Amino acid sequence: MTAPAADHDLSHIAPRDQAEILAQALPYIRKFHGKTLVIKYGGNAMTDPALQQDFAEDIVLLKLVGMNPVVVHGGGPQIDSALAKIGKKGTFIQGMRVTDEETMDVVEWVLGGEVQQDIVGLINAAGGKAVGLTGRDGGMIRAKKLRMLDKDDPSKEHDIGQVGEIDSIDPSVVKALQDDAFIPVVSPIGFGERNESYNINADVVAAKLATVLQAEKLLMLTNIRGVLNKAGELITELTPRRIDELVEDGTISGGMLPKLAGAIDAAKSGVNAVHIIDGRVPHALLLEILSDQAFGTMIKSY
């Protein structure tokens, strides 16, 4: 993740128009000033150098105008690449990575080291003050082993190793950093009662963290425009009942399932707005937060 030089040639935009664009953002800056925004960072936005730069600049701008962004990141492709280097092939059951002890060591090294520090570096290079955290820091994410039941035979259970589900989140360390003008960057690694490490789905961590922080918004960056119907058309709003229908008929499946489950839980637990947005769009965060354009899919609690 090497940040390219920023290209912001606005000579084609008249100064008056530039001022008008800034003025139109003012109501949104006022509305969200002092509010917490939890952003799940993943997909193309994490691997395309130009989009990395846009993301870092968006995060810094949001912080500088008085909002409190918290970044939670994944890193599936980077984990696969690191495993390949040691001659180990990732295995999956029902879409979940089987995480034995050796794989967990790689996950911790990649997520809590390489990927996290790349993101921290990008934000700092863009003028922010980012600090990397894992769930171990400040005792933030307590977890337990995820019990995975077979989707076709619920009496059968799959052992997927050190994959965890969240017991509790203590957000004290995140709040302390926010109060000190830092931008927290969180890796989705938790710890158990015997100090064992757990790999946790980043969408789930982002949703739970948004809930305990009582965030104004939870924004999840994806590699598609949002949630799509069977015709490939964007669904701009979803309710829990509609999501259940779309899961039942197979429209929603795979990696979108934990994303939506977390989104619904967050929306029901007091997060004011949950958005699944297209991370392939340059400055997707600013477009979603500082304009009245509807991007992606908004999840409602009712």
Side-chain angles (χ1 to χ4, degrees):
M1 273 193 199
T2 304
D7 178 15
H8 295 310
D9 180 9
L10 301 180
S11 58
H12 61 292
I13 302 177
R16 183 184 294 273
D17 291 336
Q18 291 181 38
E20 183 63 31
I21 291 166
L22 289 170
Q24 287 181 6
L26 182 59
Y28 303 97
I29 294 172
R30 185 185 298 120
K31 180 178 180 180
F32 301 128
H33 188 275
K35 302 296 174 99
T36 294
L37 312 171
V38 174
I39 298 116
K40 158 61 196 320
Y41 181 43
N44 282 49
M46 243 179 120
T47 55
D48 179 284
L51 293 173
Q52 291 167 10
Q53 181 76 13
D54 289 345
F55 175 81
E57 291 171 352
D58 289 2
I59 293 293
V60 172
L61 189 149
L62 294 173
K63 187 68 175 178
L64 289 175
V65 298
M67 300 176 208
N68 289 316
V70 178
V71 178
V72 178
H73 68 86
Q78 292 90 337
I79 292 170
D80 286 336
S81 177
L83 288 171
K85 287 177 183 174
I86 63 170
K88 192 175 179 73
K89 184 173 173 60
T91 56
F92 294 82
I93 297 176
Q94 293 180 188
M96 297 288 281
R97 182 187 301 277
V98 177
T99 308
D100 58 22
E101 193 172 339
E102 185 181 32
T103 301
M104 189 68 226
D105 287 342
V106 172
V107 168
E108 287 198 88
W109 167 64
V110 172
L111 294 184
E114 178 188 345
V115 173
Q116 182 191 85
Q117 290 310 303
D118 279 343
I119 299 167
V120 166
L122 283 165
I123 293 172
N124 291 348
K129 295 200 300 181
V131 175
L133 301 168
T134 75
R136 288 186 171 280
D137 293 304
M140 181 168 48
I141 305 176
R142 294 184 179 271
K144 62 187 177 187
K145 186 180 175 71
L146 177 69
R147 297 183 61 221
M148 175 178 277
L149 302 180
D150 188 274
K151 59 181 174 57
D152 298 319
D153 180 3
S155 66
K156 181 181 175 185
E157 189 172 316
H158 297 284
D159 185 353
I160 51 176
Q162 288 175 253
V163 176
E165 59 180 333
I166 298 169
D167 257 342
S168 63
I169 290 186
D170 179 346
S172 304
V173 65
V174 171
K175 289 180 176 177
L177 288 168
Q178 287 181 323
D179 292 344
D180 233 354
F182 290 101
I183 299 166
V185 176
V186 180
S187 301
I189 296 166
F191 68 100
E193 58 183 18
R194 295 184 302 280
N195 199 34
E196 69 275 27
S197 295
Y198 286 108
N199 180 20
I200 307 173
N201 182 287
D203 294 318
V204 173
V205 171
K208 183 69 172 176
L209 190 56
T211 298
V212 299
L213 289 170
Q214 286 298 279
E216 177 72 19
K217 284 179 178 283
L218 167 62
L219 301 112
M220 297 175 154
L221 297 180
T222 66
N223 276 349
I224 54 175
R225 289 181 294 142
V227 181
L228 308 178
N229 64 20
K230 284 194 170 175
E233 300 161 336
L234 180 68
I235 303 171
T236 56
E237 280 192 6
L238 278 176
T239 62
R241 177 180 293 181
R242 182 66 180 136
I243 289 170
D244 286 343
E245 293 170 356
L246 294 173
V247 171
E248 189 69 29
D249 71 11
T251 301
I252 296 173
S253 61
M256 192 57 78
L257 292 172
K259 211 177 287 291
L260 287 171
I264 292 170
D265 286 345
K268 286 181 175 178
S269 303
V271 177
N272 284 342
V274 181
H275 302 269
I276 296 174
I277 61 176
D278 191 347
R280 301 169 302 177
V281 175
H283 296 294
L285 286 179
L286 295 189
L287 289 168
E288 178 59 56
I289 297 165
L290 299 181
S291 79
D292 60 0
Q293 296 296 309
F295 284 86
T297 301
M298 181 175 175
I299 314 299
K300 301 173 73 174
S301 61
Y302 54 88

